[in-house]
Amino acid sequence: MTGPGARTGPAPATGLAEAGSEAGSETASGPAIGPAIGTGEAATGPAGTGPAAPTGGDLARRATADPLFRLVAYALEAAHGRPPAAVWSAPYTFHLGSPGLVAAADWPVAAAAAPRTDGLVRLSSLAHPADGCDLPLTLSGPRPATPAWAAGPYALLRALARAGYGRGGTDLHVQGSLTAAAGLATEEAAACAIALAVADVHTPPGEDPDRVRLARLLAQALPDGDDALRRGALFARPGRALLLGQGAPRPEPRRQRQRYVVFDPAGSGSRLVLLALRPDPDGTQDRTAELAGAVACARRAGALSAWPPGQRPGRSVLVLLPEARLAAVRAAVAEDFRGRALPVPRFLNITVAGAARREA
């Protein structure tokens, strides 16, 4: 079966490449962001599941499958000696320049999971090859010592187990298609992929896991994360931005409708790119001035607007520009940075994609 919103755009890579539901039932128009956002629309949440997908074990050996999904399925089998029961992908998501609007990028994080019965959690990631871990799954009390990267996934697995998903333990492998240098939030997409993969194993065949319930579990288990970005990963649609209500969430029926506004740069003759500064040697330098300079240069060369992809200050910005000005903007930014003896930023093409989905 497949989830909503088939991913389009470039095949994922392990580095930075160059370049129903819930939330309120009323129709909303949403604020405009450049020429690519149109009038609002109300739409039901993620579409139902489609035809049955191959099993996770088959995915690792399927030559036509996306390389990232083949890799994550193979890596779980190599690390833990058994094929995955489910493989899910969740897109990196980003804020738009207006409050309450989020969208998904066509670059995913993948999670492969297989259930256990001995109360053990085994976590691995190719991004942290020396930091795999085997941990007892305890539902309360202090968590066992974990590598830094595994603290969030373990907290989430505990919350899922308390909700009835995976109490016997889980083998889990997670891998993103982008590095942290891209500047897009990584934890939110990974959490959604993990939650869906684990919940899917405990959901009747042919049914999509309850995304509304999982969204609430994620918010409770990972309160320091960006809940808007997680909801974007769970409920996004291609060529649409998800319009989220402001304030505290309200108890709502499961099949209440999401709200969306059109956000389709490619459909309007525009291009959306992520402009990312190259990392400094120790990762501690303040790059605010460099980023501001890159934005100013891009605007002079014809960019329409620019905004940070997340709520926290970072080292990348999303830039909306006319298709015809892409080469000019890249050339102008490159020339400006070379003239100041600075590493030239990278440009990552972004297509507005759909929500998390089952890959196998």
Side-chain angles (χ1 to χ4, degrees), residues 300-314:
R300 290 194 298 270
L304 301 171
S305 59
W307 65 93
Q311 294 179 336
R312 294 184 289 270

PDB file of all heavy atoms in Angstrom, residues 300-314:
ATOM      1  N   ARG A 300      18.909  41.130  -5.228  1.00  0.00           N
ATOM      2  CA  ARG A 300      19.375  42.040  -6.281  1.00  0.00           C
ATOM      3  C   ARG A 300      19.394  41.352  -7.638  1.00  0.00           C
ATOM      4  O   ARG A 300      19.199  41.996  -8.672  1.00  0.00           O
ATOM      5  CB  ARG A 300      20.776  42.566  -5.938  1.00  0.00           C
ATOM      6  CG  ARG A 300      20.804  43.539  -4.774  1.00  0.00           C
ATOM      7  CD  ARG A 300      22.146  44.273  -4.704  1.00  0.00           C
ATOM      8  NE  ARG A 300      23.262  43.368  -4.486  1.00  0.00           N
ATOM      9  CZ  ARG A 300      23.715  43.023  -3.285  1.00  0.00           C
ATOM     10  NH1 ARG A 300      23.125  43.501  -2.184  1.00  0.00           N
ATOM     11  NH2 ARG A 300      24.745  42.195  -3.165  1.00  0.00           N
ATOM     12  N   ALA A 301      19.629  40.042  -7.634  1.00  0.00           N
ATOM     13  CA  ALA A 301      19.700  39.302  -8.899  1.00  0.00           C
ATOM     14  C   ALA A 301      18.335  38.828  -9.386  1.00  0.00           C
ATOM     15  O   ALA A 301      18.254  38.191 -10.438  1.00  0.00           O
ATOM     16  CB  ALA A 301      20.635  38.109  -8.747  1.00  0.00           C
ATOM     17  N   GLY A 302      17.287  39.104  -8.620  1.00  0.00           N
ATOM     18  CA  GLY A 302      15.944  38.783  -9.121  1.00  0.00           C
ATOM     19  C   GLY A 302      15.108  37.867  -8.264  1.00  0.00           C
ATOM     20  O   GLY A 302      13.987  37.521  -8.652  1.00  0.00           O
ATOM     21  N   ALA A 303      15.602  37.422  -7.084  1.00  0.00           N
ATOM     22  CA  ALA A 303      14.783  36.578  -6.203  1.00  0.00           C
ATOM     23  C   ALA A 303      13.568  37.351  -5.722  1.00  0.00           C
ATOM     24  O   ALA A 303      13.632  38.560  -5.466  1.00  0.00           O
ATOM     25  CB  ALA A 303      15.608  36.100  -5.014  1.00  0.00           C
ATOM     26  N   LEU A 304      12.440  36.656  -5.582  1.00  0.00           N
ATOM     27  CA  LEU A 304      11.192  37.287  -5.170  1.00  0.00           C
ATOM     28  C   LEU A 304      11.075  37.415  -3.662  1.00  0.00           C
ATOM     29  O   LEU A 304      10.595  38.420  -3.143  1.00  0.00           O
ATOM     30  CB  LEU A 304      10.004  36.481  -5.706  1.00  0.00           C
ATOM     31  CG  LEU A 304       9.941  36.320  -7.226  1.00  0.00           C
ATOM     32  CD1 LEU A 304       8.852  35.317  -7.600  1.00  0.00           C
ATOM     33  CD2 LEU A 304       9.694  37.670  -7.901  1.00  0.00           C
ATOM     34  N   SER A 305      11.487  36.378  -2.932  1.00  0.00           N
ATOM     35  CA  SER A 305      11.396  36.393  -1.474  1.00  0.00           C
ATOM     36  C   SER A 305      12.323  35.338  -0.909  1.00  0.00           C
ATOM     37  O   SER A 305      12.759  34.424  -1.618  1.00  0.00           O
ATOM     38  CB  SER A 305       9.954  36.137  -1.011  1.00  0.00           C
ATOM     39  OG  SER A 305       9.480  34.889  -1.490  1.00  0.00           O
ATOM     40  N   ALA A 306      12.611  35.479   0.380  1.00  0.00           N
ATOM     41  CA  ALA A 306      13.476  34.519   1.068  1.00  0.00           C
ATOM     42  C   ALA A 306      13.051  34.468   2.522  1.00  0.00           C
ATOM     43  O   ALA A 306      12.667  35.490   3.096  1.00  0.00           O
ATOM     44  CB  ALA A 306      14.939  34.909   0.935  1.00  0.00           C
ATOM     45  N   TRP A 307      13.142  33.276   3.132  1.00  0.00           N
ATOM     46  CA  TRP A 307      12.741  33.121   4.523  1.00  0.00           C
ATOM     47  C   TRP A 307      13.419  31.876   5.107  1.00  0.00           C
ATOM     48  O   TRP A 307      13.802  30.961   4.375  1.00  0.00           O
ATOM     49  CB  TRP A 307      11.219  33.010   4.647  1.00  0.00           C
ATOM     50  CG  TRP A 307      10.648  31.775   4.014  1.00  0.00           C
ATOM     51  CD1 TRP A 307      10.399  30.573   4.613  1.00  0.00           C
ATOM     52  CD2 TRP A 307      10.264  31.614   2.633  1.00  0.00           C
ATOM     53  NE1 TRP A 307       9.882  29.675   3.716  1.00  0.00           N
ATOM     54  CE2 TRP A 307       9.786  30.286   2.492  1.00  0.00           C
ATOM     55  CE3 TRP A 307      10.274  32.451   1.517  1.00  0.00           C
ATOM     56  CZ2 TRP A 307       9.327  29.788   1.274  1.00  0.00           C
ATOM     57  CZ3 TRP A 307       9.815  31.956   0.300  1.00  0.00           C
ATOM     58  CH2 TRP A 307       9.345  30.634   0.196  1.00  0.00           C
ATOM     59  N   PRO A 308      13.591  31.832   6.427  1.00  0.00           N
ATOM     60  CA  PRO A 308      14.211  30.652   7.046  1.00  0.00           C
ATOM     61  C   PRO A 308      13.261  29.466   7.020  1.00  0.00           C
ATOM     62  O   PRO A 308      12.041  29.630   7.156  1.00  0.00           O
ATOM     63  CB  PRO A 308      14.489  31.108   8.479  1.00  0.00           C
ATOM     64  CG  PRO A 308      13.517  32.210   8.719  1.00  0.00           C
ATOM     65  CD  PRO A 308      13.313  32.891   7.397  1.00  0.00           C
ATOM     66  N   PRO A 309      13.787  28.238   6.858  1.00  0.00           N
ATOM     67  CA  PRO A 309      12.905  27.066   6.785  1.00  0.00           C
ATOM     68  C   PRO A 309      12.366  26.614   8.128  1.00  0.00           C
ATOM     69  O   PRO A 309      11.410  25.844   8.176  1.00  0.00           O
ATOM     70  CB  PRO A 309      13.804  25.988   6.176  1.00  0.00           C
ATOM     71  CG  PRO A 309      15.189  26.396   6.561  1.00  0.00           C
ATOM     72  CD  PRO A 309      15.191  27.891   6.578  1.00  0.00           C
ATOM     73  N   GLY A 310      12.983  27.059   9.233  1.00  0.00           N
ATOM     74  CA  GLY A 310      12.545  26.638  10.561  1.00  0.00           C
ATOM     75  C   GLY A 310      12.372  27.821  11.483  1.00  0.00           C
ATOM     76  O   GLY A 310      12.623  28.974  11.111  1.00  0.00           O
ATOM     77  N   GLN A 311      11.966  27.534  12.707  1.00  0.00           N
ATOM     78  CA  GLN A 311      11.741  28.587  13.676  1.00  0.00           C
ATOM     79  C   GLN A 311      13.028  29.046  14.338  1.00  0.00           C
ATOM     80  O   GLN A 311      13.117  30.169  14.822  1.00  0.00           O
ATOM     81  CB  GLN A 311      10.748  28.099  14.743  1.00  0.00           C
ATOM     82  CG  GLN A 311       9.349  27.840  14.202  1.00  0.00           C
ATOM     83  CD  GLN A 311       8.399  27.342  15.268  1.00  0.00           C
ATOM     84  OE1 GLN A 311       8.818  26.782  16.274  1.00  0.00           O
ATOM     85  NE2 GLN A 311       7.111  27.558  15.061  1.00  0.00           N
ATOM     86  N   ARG A 312      14.026  28.181  14.379  1.00  0.00           N
ATOM     87  CA  ARG A 312      15.291  28.533  15.008  1.00  0.00           C
ATOM     88  C   ARG A 312      16.262  29.090  13.969  1.00  0.00           C
ATOM     89  O   ARG A 312      16.244  28.659  12.820  1.00  0.00           O
ATOM     90  CB  ARG A 312      15.906  27.319  15.698  1.00  0.00           C
ATOM     91  CG  ARG A 312      15.089  26.831  16.890  1.00  0.00           C
ATOM     92  CD  ARG A 312      15.803  25.692  17.605  1.00  0.00           C
ATOM     93  NE  ARG A 312      15.790  24.471  16.833  1.00  0.00           N
ATOM     94  CZ  ARG A 312      14.826  23.541  16.924  1.00  0.00           C
ATOM     95  NH1 ARG A 312      13.825  23.728  17.746  1.00  0.00           N
ATOM     96  NH2 ARG A 312      14.894  22.449  16.205  1.00  0.00           N
ATOM     97  N   PRO A 313      17.104  30.045  14.369  1.00  0.00           N
ATOM     98  CA  PRO A 313      18.094  30.584  13.427  1.00  0.00           C
ATOM     99  C   PRO A 313      18.962  29.466  12.872  1.00  0.00           C
ATOM    100  O   PRO A 313      19.340  28.535  13.589  1.00  0.00           O
ATOM    101  CB  PRO A 313      18.917  31.549  14.293  1.00  0.00           C
ATOM    102  CG  PRO A 313      18.032  31.879  15.447  1.00  0.00           C
ATOM    103  CD  PRO A 313      17.204  30.650  15.703  1.00  0.00           C
ATOM    104  N   GLY A 314      19.253  29.544  11.604  1.00  0.00           N
ATOM    105  CA  GLY A 314      20.046  28.492  10.973  1.00  0.00           C
ATOM    106  C   GLY A 314      21.043  29.065   9.997  1.00  0.00           C
ATOM    107  O   GLY A 314      21.393  30.248  10.056  1.00  0.00           O
TER     108      GLY A 314
END
